[in-house]
Coordinates of all heavy atoms in Angstrom, one line a residue:
T39 N 56.2 133.2 123.2 CA 56.0 132.3 124.3 C 55.8 133.1 125.6 O 56.3 134.3 125.8 CB 57.3 131.5 124.5 OG1 58.4 132.4 124.8 CG2 57.6 130.5 123.4
P40 N 54.9 132.5 126.5 CA 54.5 133.3 127.6 C 55.6 133.6 128.6 O 55.6 134.8 129.1 CB 53.4 132.4 128.2 CG 52.9 131.6 127.2 CD 54.1 131.4 126.3
D41 N 56.5 132.7 128.8 CA 57.7 132.9 129.7 C 58.8 133.6 129.1 O 59.9 133.9 129.7 CB 58.0 131.6 130.4 CG 58.4 130.5 129.4 OD1 58.7 130.9 128.2 OD2 58.7 129.4 129.7
G42 N 58.9 133.7 127.6 CA 60.1 134.4 127.1 C 61.3 133.5 127.1 O 62.3 134.0 126.8
T43 N 61.1 132.3 127.4 CA 62.3 131.4 127.4 C 62.2 130.1 126.5 O 63.2 129.8 125.9 CB 62.6 131.0 129.0 OG1 61.5 130.4 129.4 CG2 62.8 132.2 129.8
T44 N 61.0 129.7 126.5 CA 60.8 128.4 125.6 C 60.5 128.9 124.3 O 59.7 129.7 124.0 CB 59.6 127.7 126.4 OG1 59.8 127.4 127.7 CG2 59.4 126.4 125.6
A45 N 61.1 128.2 123.4 CA 61.0 128.4 121.9 C 59.6 127.9 121.5 O 59.1 126.8 121.9 CB 62.0 127.8 121.1
P46 N 59.0 128.7 120.6 CA 57.7 128.2 120.0 C 58.0 127.0 119.2 O 59.0 126.7 118.7 CB 57.3 129.5 119.1 CG 58.1 130.7 119.6 CD 59.3 130.1 120.2
T47 N 57.0 126.2 119.0 CA 57.0 125.0 118.3 C 57.5 125.3 116.8 O 56.9 126.1 116.1 CB 55.7 124.3 118.2 OG1 55.2 124.0 119.6 CG2 55.7 123.0 117.4
G48 N 58.4 124.5 116.3 CA 59.0 124.7 115.1 C 60.2 125.7 114.9 O 60.7 125.8 113.8
F49 N 60.6 126.4 116.0 CA 61.6 127.3 116.0 C 62.8 126.9 116.6 O 62.7 126.0 117.5 CB 61.1 128.7 116.5 CG 60.1 129.4 115.6 CD1 58.7 129.1 115.6 CD2 60.5 130.4 114.7 CE1 57.9 129.7 114.9 CE2 59.7 131.0 113.8 CZ 58.3 130.6 113.9
A50 N 64.0 127.5 116.4 CA 65.3 127.1 117.2 C 65.0 127.3 118.6 O 64.3 128.2 119.0 CB 66.4 128.0 116.6
A51 N 65.9 126.7 119.4 CA 65.7 126.7 120.8 C 65.8 128.0 121.4 O 65.3 128.3 122.5 CB 66.8 125.7 121.4
D52 N 66.5 128.9 120.8 CA 66.8 130.2 121.5 C 65.9 131.4 121.1 O 65.9 132.5 121.5 CB 68.2 130.7 121.1 CG 68.5 131.0 119.7 OD1 67.8 130.4 118.8 OD2 69.5 131.7 119.4
V53 N 64.9 131.1 120.2 CA 63.9 132.0 119.7 C 62.7 132.1 120.7 O 62.1 131.2 121.3 CB 63.3 131.5 118.3 CG1 62.1 132.4 117.9 CG2 64.3 131.5 117.3
T54 N 62.5 133.4 121.0 CA 61.4 133.6 122.0 C 60.3 134.3 121.4 O 59.1 134.1 121.9 CB 61.9 134.6 123.1 OG1 62.4 135.9 122.6 CG2 63.0 134.0 123.8
S55 N 60.4 135.0 120.2 CA 59.2 135.4 119.4 C 59.6 135.7 118.0 O 60.8 135.9 117.7 CB 58.7 136.7 120.1 OG 59.8 137.7 120.1
Y56 N 58.7 135.7 117.2 CA 58.8 135.8 115.7 C 57.5 136.4 115.2 O 56.4 136.0 115.6 CB 59.1 134.4 115.1 CG 59.2 134.3 113.5 CD1 60.3 134.6 113.0 CD2 58.1 134.2 112.8 CE1 60.5 134.6 111.6 CE2 58.1 134.1 111.4 CZ 59.3 134.4 110.8 OH 59.4 134.4 109.5
G57 N 57.8 137.3 114.3 CA 56.7 138.0 113.5 C 57.0 138.2 112.0 O 58.3 138.5 111.8
S58 N 56.2 138.1 111.2 CA 56.4 138.4 109.7 C 55.1 138.8 109.1 O 54.0 138.7 109.6 CB 56.8 137.1 109.1 OG 55.8 136.1 109.1
S59 N 55.3 139.5 108.0 CA 54.1 140.0 107.2 C 54.5 140.2 105.8 O 55.6 140.3 105.5 CB 53.6 141.3 107.9 OG 54.6 142.4 107.7
G60 N 53.6 140.3 105.0 CA 53.7 140.5 103.6 C 53.4 139.2 102.7 O 52.4 138.5 103.1
A61 N 54.3 138.9 101.8 CA 54.1 137.6 101.2 C 54.7 136.5 101.9 O 55.8 135.9 101.7 CB 54.9 137.7 99.8
V62 N 53.9 136.0 102.9 CA 54.4 135.1 103.9 C 53.4 133.9 103.9 O 52.1 134.2 103.6 CB 54.7 135.6 105.2 CG1 55.7 136.6 105.3 CG2 53.3 136.1 105.9
T63 N 53.8 132.7 104.2 CA 52.9 131.6 104.3 C 52.0 131.7 105.6 O 52.3 132.5 106.6 CB 53.6 130.3 104.3 OG1 54.5 130.2 105.5 CG2 54.6 130.2 103.0
D64 N 51.1 130.8 105.8 CA 50.2 130.8 106.9 C 51.2 130.3 108.2 O 50.8 130.6 109.3 CB 49.2 129.8 107.0 CG 48.1 130.3 106.0 OD1 48.0 131.6 105.7 OD2 47.2 129.5 105.4
G65 N 52.3 129.8 107.9 CA 53.2 129.5 109.0 C 54.4 130.5 109.2 O 55.3 130.2 110.0
G66 N 54.3 131.7 108.4 CA 55.1 132.8 108.7 C 56.3 132.9 107.9 O 57.2 133.7 108.0
A67 N 56.5 131.9 107.0 CA 57.7 131.8 106.3 C 57.6 132.8 105.1 O 56.6 132.9 104.5 CB 58.0 130.4 105.7
I68 N 58.8 133.5 104.8 CA 58.8 134.5 103.7 C 58.7 133.7 102.4 O 59.4 132.7 102.2 CB 60.1 135.3 103.7 CG1 60.0 136.2 104.9 CG2 60.3 135.9 102.4 CD1 61.4 137.0 105.1
A69 N 57.8 134.1 101.5 CA 57.6 133.3 100.3 C 57.2 134.3 99.1 O 56.2 134.1 98.6 CB 56.4 132.2 100.6
V70 N 58.1 135.1 98.7 CA 57.8 136.1 97.8 C 57.6 135.4 96.4 O 57.0 136.0 95.4 CB 58.8 137.1 97.6 CG1 58.9 138.0 98.9 CG2 60.2 136.7 97.3
D71 N 58.1 134.2 96.2 CA 58.0 133.5 94.9 C 57.0 132.5 94.9 O 56.8 131.6 94.0 CB 59.5 132.8 94.6 CG 60.6 133.8 94.2 OD1 60.2 135.0 93.8 OD2 61.7 133.6 94.7
D72 N 56.2 132.4 96.0 CA 55.2 131.4 96.1 C 53.9 131.9 95.6 O 53.4 132.9 96.2 CB 55.0 131.0 97.5 CG 54.1 129.8 97.8 OD1 53.4 129.5 96.9 OD2 54.1 129.3 98.8
P73 N 53.3 131.4 94.5 CA 52.1 131.9 93.9 C 51.0 131.8 95.0 O 49.9 132.5 94.9 CB 51.8 131.1 92.7 CG 52.6 129.8 92.9 CD 53.8 130.3 93.7
A74 N 51.0 130.9 96.0 CA 49.9 130.7 96.9 C 49.9 131.9 98.0 O 49.0 132.1 98.7 CB 50.0 129.4 97.6
A75 N 51.0 132.6 98.2 CA 51.2 133.7 99.1 C 50.4 134.9 98.5 O 50.3 135.0 97.4 CB 52.6 134.0 99.4
P76 N 50.1 135.8 99.4 CA 49.4 137.1 99.0 C 50.5 137.8 98.1 O 51.7 137.7 98.3 CB 49.2 137.8 100.3 CG 49.1 136.7 101.3 CD 50.1 135.7 100.8

Side-chain angles (χ1 to χ4, degrees):
T39 56
D41 58 8
T43 58
T44 305
T47 302
F49 288 84
D52 62 342
V53 172
T54 58
S55 61
Y56 174 87
S58 62
S59 65
V62 299
T63 66
D64 289 342
I68 292 177
V70 296
D71 296 323
D72 187 347

